[in-house]
Amino acid sequence: TFSPAMHNAAFRHLGLNAIYVAFAVKPSDLVDALRGVRALNVRGLNVTIPHKEAIITLLDDVDTLAKNVGAVNTVTHEDGVLRGFNTDGAGALETLRENGVDPRNKRIVILGAGGAAKAIALTLAPMAREVTIANRTVEKAEALSQRLRTLYKRDVHYCGLNSKNVKTVLREAEILINTTSVGMYPNAGETPIPHNFLHENVTVFDIVYNPRETRLLREARKVGAKTVGGLGMLVHQGVEAFELWTHMKPPVEVMKRVIESMV
Ligand code: ATR
């Protein structure tokens, strides 16, 4: 994990007497680990696979978005209350904004229907003009789109990842977000969609950060599309968490520099 280096650099920069450490916790020890958090008065934590879902029932309170996603990646501990959040969606939104992309009123296509897709779709759907979920397992795309429709009463479509429909929805798309692991190291030669589906009027955001420029981003760049890499998301999900823990303005550039030096 890159999180200790990123957060410790931020603590140092702000002169905070705090430290971020990583612990490997077995699923059967999660309850005890949280008792330890309470007893030691740990101020906050991140959780990752395989605890993101299981931790929900062990917390005192869970933010609505995290509840809807069904996964928590950040926990605050204030006045004895453990509260869960999911910062992936806000991290993606901030990454887009930082790159000059405003998702409001845009036609957005999301590839994938897993945990990251859920967090991003739940964050962007209320502000988008139209959202389409395209996933290899079409039933998962259907379930997520149904959920978005119920929650936000918005126009949400779905289709299979390999279908001709992807080509059709992409023609009109203004933002394409890849949340699948296709193209991630060591399978950097792969890409989730054929290059001839891409065009210069779509911003392509790939949350995969290794390699920094995935095949999808390279092919998007070649057709003249604006591209956004996954490093920003890694930084900004951490920035959001840092803010929740400290109630301070995080030193984003410091955190970004640490991540860039490590990835
Ligand atoms: P995360 O939390 O990173 O979103 P996840 O919940 O395991 O991870 O979701 C992985 C996503 O990548 C899913 O949408 C998955 O598609 P399926 O639902 O069909 O499994 C997608 N994915 C993973 N490998 C893929 C591949 N080789 N081709 C297409 N989609 C793939």
Side-chain angles (χ1 to χ4, degrees), residues 112-116 135-137 140 161 180-182:
N135 194 47
R136 177 178 59 181
T137 310
K140 277 167 70 179
L161 192 54
T180 76
S181 47
V182 181

Side-chain angles (χ1 to χ4, degrees), residues 92-98 100-109 120-121 123-131 154 172-177 203:
L93 175 59
E94 193 47 40
T95 304
L96 284 170
R97 285 194 175 140
E98 190 178 50
V101 184
D102 184 355
R104 273 179 302 180
N105 282 317
K106 295 289 189 316
R107 291 194 169 86
I108 303 177
V109 176
I120 294 171
T123 304
L124 300 186
M127 62 186 84
R129 167 178 300 192
E130 188 183 285
V131 173
R154 301 302 288 252
E172 299 277 293
E174 292 161 287
I175 301 176
L176 168 69
I177 306 176
T203 291

Side-chain angles (χ1 to χ4, degrees), residues 49 52-53 88 111-118 133-138 140-141 161-162 178-184 187 190-192 207:
I49 294 164
K52 283 179 161 190
E53 289 93 18
D88 283 341
L111 307 180
K118 249 186 233 169
I133 311 289
N135 194 47
R136 177 178 59 181
T137 310
V138 72
K140 277 167 70 179
L161 192 54
N162 286 318
N178 175 47
T179 74
T180 76
S181 47
V182 181
M184 190 192 292
N187 301 312
E190 295 174 7
T191 184
I207 73 164

Side-chain angles (χ1 to χ4, degrees), residues 20-87:
Y20 184 113
V21 284
F23 297 102
V25 176
K26 289 190 223 124
S28 56
D29 287 334
L30 185 60
V31 171
D32 285 342
L34 286 179
R35 286 183 63 202
V37 164
R38 290 183 198 272
L40 298 171
N41 200 20
V42 171
R43 293 292 302 275
L45 54 144
N46 282 132
V47 276
T48 189
I49 294 164
H51 305 304
K52 283 179 161 190
E53 289 93 18
I55 198 168
I56 287 185
T57 56
L58 304 174
L59 300 171
D60 303 312
D61 187 21
V62 179
D63 161 75
T64 308
L65 179 76
K67 217 180 279 171
N68 285 332
V69 173
V72 157
N73 72 344
T74 301
V75 178
T76 59
H77 186 202
E78 280 178 26
D79 305 322
V81 177
L82 291 179
R83 187 168 290 128
F85 298 86
N86 188 311
T87 65

Side-chain angles (χ1 to χ4, degrees), residues 243-256:
E243 202 165 358
L244 286 168
W245 298 323
T246 62
H247 303 290
M248 293 173 90
K249 199 169 147 34
V252 179
E253 289 309 316
V254 171
M255 296 168 82
K256 199 178 291 170

